[in-house]
Coordinates of all heavy atoms in Angstrom, one line a residue:
K48 N 2.2 1.3 15.6 CA 2.8 1.1 16.9 C 4.3 1.5 16.8 O 4.9 2.0 17.7 CB 2.7 -0.3 17.4 CG 3.2 -0.6 18.8 CD 3.0 -2.1 19.2 CE 1.6 -2.6 19.1 NZ 1.5 -3.9 19.5
A49 N 5.0 1.0 15.7 CA 6.4 1.3 15.5 C 6.7 2.7 15.0 O 7.8 3.2 15.4 CB 6.9 0.2 14.5
I50 N 5.9 3.3 14.2 CA 6.2 4.6 13.6 C 5.4 5.7 14.1 O 6.0 6.8 14.3 CB 5.9 4.5 12.1 CG1 6.9 3.3 11.5 CG2 6.2 5.8 11.4 CD1 6.4 2.9 10.1
G51 N 4.2 5.5 14.4 CA 3.3 6.6 15.0 C 1.9 6.4 14.5 O 1.6 6.0 13.4
E52 N 1.0 6.8 15.4 CA -0.4 6.7 15.1 C -1.0 7.4 13.9 O -1.9 7.1 13.3 CB -1.3 7.0 16.4 CG -1.1 6.1 17.5 CD -1.6 4.7 17.1 OE1 -2.6 4.5 16.4 OE2 -1.0 3.6 17.6
N53 N -0.2 8.5 13.5 CA -0.7 9.4 12.4 C -0.1 8.9 11.0 O -0.3 9.6 10.1 CB -0.3 10.8 12.7 CG -1.1 11.4 13.8 OD1 -2.2 11.1 14.1 ND2 -0.4 12.2 14.7
L54 N 0.6 7.8 11.0 CA 1.1 7.3 9.7 C 0.0 7.1 8.8 O -1.0 6.4 9.1 CB 1.8 5.9 10.0 CG 2.3 5.2 8.7 CD1 3.4 6.0 8.1 CD2 2.8 3.8 9.0
H55 N 0.1 7.7 7.5 CA -1.0 7.6 6.6 C -0.9 6.2 5.8 O 0.2 6.0 5.1 CB -0.9 8.7 5.6 CG -2.1 8.8 4.7 ND1 -3.2 9.6 4.9 CD2 -2.3 8.1 3.5 CE1 -4.0 9.5 3.9 NE2 -3.6 8.5 3.1
I56 N -1.9 5.4 5.8 CA -1.9 4.1 5.1 C -3.1 4.1 4.2 O -4.2 4.3 4.6 CB -1.9 2.9 6.1 CG1 -0.8 3.0 7.1 CG2 -2.0 1.6 5.4 CD1 -0.8 1.9 8.1
D57 N -2.8 3.8 2.8 CA -3.8 3.6 1.9 C -3.9 2.1 1.5 O -2.9 1.3 1.7 CB -3.6 4.4 0.6 CG -3.8 5.9 0.8 OD1 -4.5 6.2 1.7 OD2 -3.1 6.7 0.0
Y58 N -5.0 1.7 1.1 CA -5.3 0.3 0.7 C -5.7 0.2 -0.7 O -6.5 1.0 -1.2 CB -6.3 -0.4 1.6 CG -6.0 -0.2 3.1 CD1 -6.4 0.9 3.8 CD2 -5.2 -1.2 3.8 CE1 -6.2 1.0 5.2 CE2 -4.9 -1.1 5.1 CZ -5.4 0.0 5.8 OH -5.1 0.1 7.1
S59 N -5.2 -0.8 -1.4 CA -5.7 -1.1 -2.8 C -5.9 -2.6 -3.0 O -5.1 -3.4 -2.4 CB -4.5 -0.6 -3.8 OG -4.9 -0.9 -5.1
Y60 N -7.0 -2.9 -3.7 CA -7.3 -4.3 -3.8 C -7.4 -4.7 -5.4 O -7.7 -3.9 -6.2 CB -8.6 -4.6 -3.2 CG -8.7 -4.3 -1.7 CD1 -9.3 -3.1 -1.2 CD2 -8.1 -5.2 -0.8 CE1 -9.2 -2.7 0.1 CE2 -8.0 -4.8 0.6 CZ -8.6 -3.7 1.0 OH -8.6 -3.3 2.3
G61 N -7.0 -5.9 -5.7 CA -7.0 -6.4 -7.1 C -5.6 -6.5 -7.6 O -4.7 -6.5 -6.9
L62 N -5.6 -6.7 -8.9 CA -4.3 -7.1 -9.6 C -3.4 -5.8 -10.0 O -2.3 -6.0 -10.3 CB -4.5 -7.9 -10.9 CG -5.3 -9.2 -10.6 CD1 -5.5 -9.9 -12.0 CD2 -4.4 -10.2 -9.8
D63 N -4.0 -4.7 -9.9 CA -3.3 -3.5 -10.4 C -3.0 -2.5 -9.3 O -3.8 -2.2 -8.4 CB -4.2 -2.8 -11.5 CG -4.5 -3.6 -12.7 OD1 -3.7 -4.5 -13.0 OD2 -5.6 -3.5 -13.2
L64 N -1.8 -1.9 -9.4 CA -1.4 -0.8 -8.5 C -2.2 0.4 -8.9 O -2.6 0.6 -10.0 CB 0.1 -0.6 -8.5 CG 1.0 -1.7 -7.9 CD1 2.4 -1.3 -8.2 CD2 0.8 -1.8 -6.4
P65 N -2.4 1.4 -8.0 CA -3.0 2.7 -8.3 C -2.1 3.3 -9.4 O -0.9 3.1 -9.5 CB -2.9 3.5 -7.0 CG -2.9 2.4 -6.0 CD -2.1 1.3 -6.5
D66 N -2.7 4.3 -10.0 CA -2.0 5.0 -11.2 C -0.8 5.7 -10.7 O 0.2 5.7 -11.4 CB -2.9 6.0 -11.9 CG -4.1 5.2 -12.6 OD1 -3.9 4.1 -12.9 OD2 -5.2 5.9 -12.7
D67 N -0.9 6.4 -9.6 CA 0.3 7.3 -9.2 C 0.8 6.7 -7.8 O 0.2 6.9 -6.8 CB -0.1 8.7 -9.0 CG 1.0 9.5 -8.5 OD1 2.2 9.1 -8.6 OD2 0.7 10.7 -8.0
I68 N 1.9 6.0 -7.9 CA 2.5 5.5 -6.6 C 3.7 6.3 -6.2 O 4.3 6.0 -5.1 CB 2.9 4.1 -6.8 CG1 4.0 3.9 -7.8 CG2 1.7 3.1 -7.1 CD1 4.8 2.5 -7.7
S69 N 4.0 7.4 -6.9 CA 5.1 8.2 -6.5 C 4.9 8.9 -5.2 O 5.9 9.4 -4.6 CB 5.5 9.2 -7.6 OG 4.4 10.1 -7.8
Q70 N 3.7 9.0 -4.8 CA 3.4 9.7 -3.5 C 3.7 8.9 -2.3 O 3.6 9.4 -1.2 CB 1.9 10.1 -3.5 CG 1.0 8.8 -3.6 CD -0.5 9.2 -3.7 OE1 -1.0 9.9 -2.8 NE2 -1.2 8.7 -4.7
Y71 N 4.0 7.6 -2.5 CA 4.2 6.7 -1.4 C 5.7 6.5 -1.1 O 6.6 6.6 -1.9 CB 3.6 5.4 -1.7 CG 2.1 5.4 -1.8 CD1 1.5 5.3 -3.0 CD2 1.3 5.6 -0.7 CE1 0.1 5.4 -3.2 CE2 -0.1 5.7 -0.8 CZ -0.7 5.6 -2.1 OH -2.1 5.7 -2.2
D72 N 5.9 6.2 0.2 CA 7.3 6.0 0.7 C 7.6 4.5 0.8 O 8.8 4.2 0.9 CB 7.5 6.6 2.1 CG 7.3 8.2 2.1 OD1 8.2 8.9 1.6 OD2 6.2 8.7 2.5
L73 N 6.5 3.7 0.8 CA 6.7 2.3 0.8 C 5.5 1.6 0.2 O 4.3 2.0 0.6 CB 6.9 1.7 2.1 CG 7.1 0.2 2.3 CD1 8.3 -0.3 1.5 CD2 7.2 -0.2 3.8
V74 N 5.6 0.6 -0.7 CA 4.5 -0.2 -1.2 C 4.7 -1.6 -0.5 O 5.8 -2.2 -0.6 CB 4.5 -0.3 -2.7 CG1 3.4 -1.3 -3.1 CG2 4.2 1.1 -3.3
I75 N 3.6 -2.1 0.1 CA 3.7 -3.5 0.7 C 2.7 -4.4 -0.1 O 1.5 -4.1 -0.1 CB 3.3 -3.4 2.2 CG1 4.2 -2.4 2.9 CG2 3.4 -4.8 2.8 CD1 3.8 -2.2 4.4
L76 N 3.3 -5.4 -0.7 CA 2.4 -6.4 -1.4 C 1.9 -7.5 -0.4 O 2.6 -7.7 0.5 CB 3.2 -7.0 -2.5 CG 3.7 -6.1 -3.6 CD1 4.5 -6.9 -4.7 CD2 2.7 -5.2 -4.2
C77 N 0.9 -8.1 -0.8 CA 0.4 -9.3 0.0 C 1.3 -10.4 -0.3 O 2.3 -10.4 -1.0 CB -1.0 -9.6 -0.4 SG -1.2 -10.3 -2.1
A78 N 1.1 -11.6 0.3 CA 1.9 -12.8 0.1 C 2.0 -13.3 -1.3 O 3.1 -13.8 -1.7 CB 1.4 -13.9 1.0
G79 N 1.0 -13.0 -2.1 CA 1.1 -13.4 -3.5 C 0.6 -14.9 -3.8 O 0.9 -15.4 -4.8
C80 N -0.1 -15.5 -2.8 CA -0.4 -16.9 -3.0 C -1.4 -17.2 -4.0 O -1.5 -18.3 -4.6 CB -0.8 -17.5 -1.7 SG -2.3 -16.8 -0.9
S81 N -2.2 -16.2 -4.4 CA -3.3 -16.4 -5.4 C -3.1 -15.5 -6.6 O -4.0 -15.4 -7.4 CB -4.6 -16.1 -4.8 OG -4.8 -14.8 -4.3
I82 N -1.9 -14.9 -6.8 CA -1.7 -14.1 -8.0 C -0.5 -14.6 -8.8 O 0.3 -15.4 -8.1 CB -1.6 -12.6 -7.8 CG1 -0.4 -12.4 -6.8 CG2 -2.8 -12.0 -7.2 CD1 -0.2 -10.9 -6.5
S83 N -0.4 -14.3 -10.0 CA 0.7 -14.9 -10.8 C 2.1 -14.2 -10.6 O 2.2 -13.1 -10.1 CB 0.4 -14.7 -12.3 OG 0.5 -13.4 -12.7

């Protein structure tokens, strides 16, 4: 809604980030209530 409908968003689940994050312009982490 703020940036545009064609914004590309990927999702990743678990404790590890994907191998190559250099392709992203921003990484958004969850709240972190259940991880160390």
